[in-house]
Amino acid sequence: GRVAQQLRDMDGWEEDTVIAHGRALIVLGSDSDKLFALDRRSGKLMWESPRRPTGADDPALYCLGVLNNRLYVAGRQCVRAYDLKQDGKFNWEAKIDPSFGHGVLTGDAIFMPVGEYVARINADNGKLEAQVKVVTPTQEPVGNLFSDGDRLLAVGMARAYALQDLETR
């Protein structure tokens, strides 16, 4: 009974994620309501930041990745950046309409599934750059996004799609 109660009380990230970055080991734990970095040589705490910054009502749920000394995380209605040069300091937040899938970080932007659209968010400042409607044969939501380096891939509802514009197709 106590173990089940402890599992219900955990308020953390969807998955345990560990990222080596410079001399830091960045940890996003499924049992932690923050992200933190440990010194890879000594194991000492270098810094910690909240999963939900002050005033934010939507918690980040998963890690999108690291790009240009920033750690990017996302939740159902948010995308956030933390500055790894400044001890994990919260950098910016982009609010989005509810997302029912996971987004993807690429070399030049963040792409988030938002209903039947894919939103492109600027990775430097969190501004929405574009929102493109995705038309599928069954009119389902976009799903989880991935990238093969050239195009976006969407997986959801027992289907996988390679997304591209009509001209390219």
Side-chain angles (χ1 to χ4, degrees):
R2 282 194 293 247
V3 172
Q5 180 61 41
Q6 287 174 338
L7 289 174
R8 278 196 302 265
D9 290 343
M10 287 172 43
D11 185 23
W13 302 89
E14 282 183 353
E15 296 180 0
D16 292 316
T17 305
V18 178
I19 302 166
H21 184 266
R23 69 181 183 115
L25 201 58
I26 303 165
V27 179
L28 295 81
S30 60
D31 60 349
S32 177
D33 198 30
K34 56 184 78 169
L35 56 121
F36 59 92
L38 302 173
D39 186 301
R40 291 170 67 181
R41 294 169 290 192
S42 68
K44 290 185 179 180
L45 180 67
M46 293 174 61
W47 55 261
E48 62 183 20
S49 287
R51 184 170 70 110
R52 185 186 322 214
T54 305
D57 53 356
D58 187 39
L61 299 172
Y62 61 95
C63 180
L64 287 163
V66 174
L67 178 67
N68 299 330
N69 288 309
R70 280 199 187 106
L71 173 72
Y72 297 93
V73 298
R76 192 158 177 260
Q77 293 182 283
C78 69
V79 177
R80 295 189 181 112
Y82 292 85
D83 192 334
L84 298 179
K85 283 183 166 179
Q86 296 185 4
D87 293 335
K89 181 181 175 189
F90 171 70
N91 194 228
W92 56 255
E93 175 181 62
K95 299 226 183 230
I96 59 173
D97 289 335
S99 175
F100 299 103
H102 284 201
V104 65
L105 173 66
T106 67
D108 60 353
I110 300 162
F111 294 90
M112 294 295 296
V114 180
E116 58 187 17
Y117 293 87
V118 171
R120 179 187 168 110
I121 298 170
N122 184 299
D124 290 329
N125 58 27
K127 302 290 184 204
L128 179 67
E129 292 181 332
Q131 195 160 300
V132 177
K133 185 171 184 171
V134 176
V135 179
T136 62
T138 56
Q139 302 301 313
E140 62 204 39
V142 175
N144 294 320
L145 295 177
F146 300 89
S147 175
D148 65 0
D150 291 323
R151 61 188 163 191
L152 291 179
L153 307 167
V155 177
M157 306 295 255
R159 297 183 193 272
Y161 298 101
L163 305 177
Q164 57 191 26
D165 60 67
L166 291 175
E167 290 175 13
T168 304
R169 189 177 71 144

